[in-house]
Amino acid sequence: MRDIMGMMGKVKEMQSKMEKVQAEIAAMDIEGQAGGGMVTVHLDGKGVMTSIKIDPSMFKEDDVEILEDLIVAAHKAAKDKGEAQAQAKLSELTAGMPLPPGMKFPF
C-alpha cells in the first residue's frame, strides 16, 4: 500500500514538473534566419510566428520569389530549433525514468 502512495506522490510530482516545463516551452522565443540573416523570424514555444524582420535590400521587384523562399526557410529554421529545445527540456524531465527505447514523452 505504501508503494502505491509513494508512486502516486511521484506521479503528482512529475505532473507538476511537466506543467512547469510546458510553461517554459510556451514562453520560449526562438529565432530562425535565412539568407545570411536577410530574413529573421521569431516564434514562440508553440511555433507561432511572433515577428519577422526583412533586410530592406530584399525589396526589389525581381527578388520577391527569393524573399518568399527565405521567409519559409527562416520559419523552418526557428521551428526546428524550437522543437529541439523543447525536446531537450522534456528529456531533462524524463531523465532516469525507465522508458522503452525510442519512446518519446509526452506520448
Side-chain angles (χ1 to χ4, degrees):
M1 190 67 148
R2 287 186 182 162
D3 289 342
I4 292 174
M5 295 302 283
M7 200 164 97
M8 292 299 287
K10 288 185 186 232
V11 167
K12 284 189 182 253
E13 182 181 328
M14 177 62 97
Q15 182 180 13
S16 173
K17 287 180 182 178
M18 178 60 89
E19 289 171 358
K20 182 181 177 202
V21 168
Q22 287 175 334
E24 289 174 7
I25 290 170
M28 289 190 313
D29 177 46
I30 304 106
E31 178 182 289
Q33 294 186 347
M38 297 189 86
V39 175
T40 302
V41 170
H42 283 262
L43 304 180
D44 66 15
K46 295 182 179 182
V48 175
M49 188 184 311
T50 57
S51 70
I52 184 168
K53 182 178 180 191
I54 302 169
D55 187 291
S57 68
M58 294 300 300
F59 292 106
K60 297 177 186 166
E61 192 162 322
D62 56 339
D63 290 338
V64 171
E65 193 171 313
I66 294 170
L67 179 58
E68 291 168 346
D69 290 342
L70 290 175
I71 291 170
V72 170
H75 184 273
K76 182 179 181 338
K79 189 161 177 70
D80 290 348
K81 190 185 298 183
E83 288 173 356
Q85 289 176 6
Q87 189 60 43
K89 284 188 176 287
L90 289 172
S91 292
E92 290 173 13
L93 179 66
T94 60
M97 287 181 64
L99 296 175
M103 184 174 202
K104 291 185 178 181
F105 193 74
F107 309 103

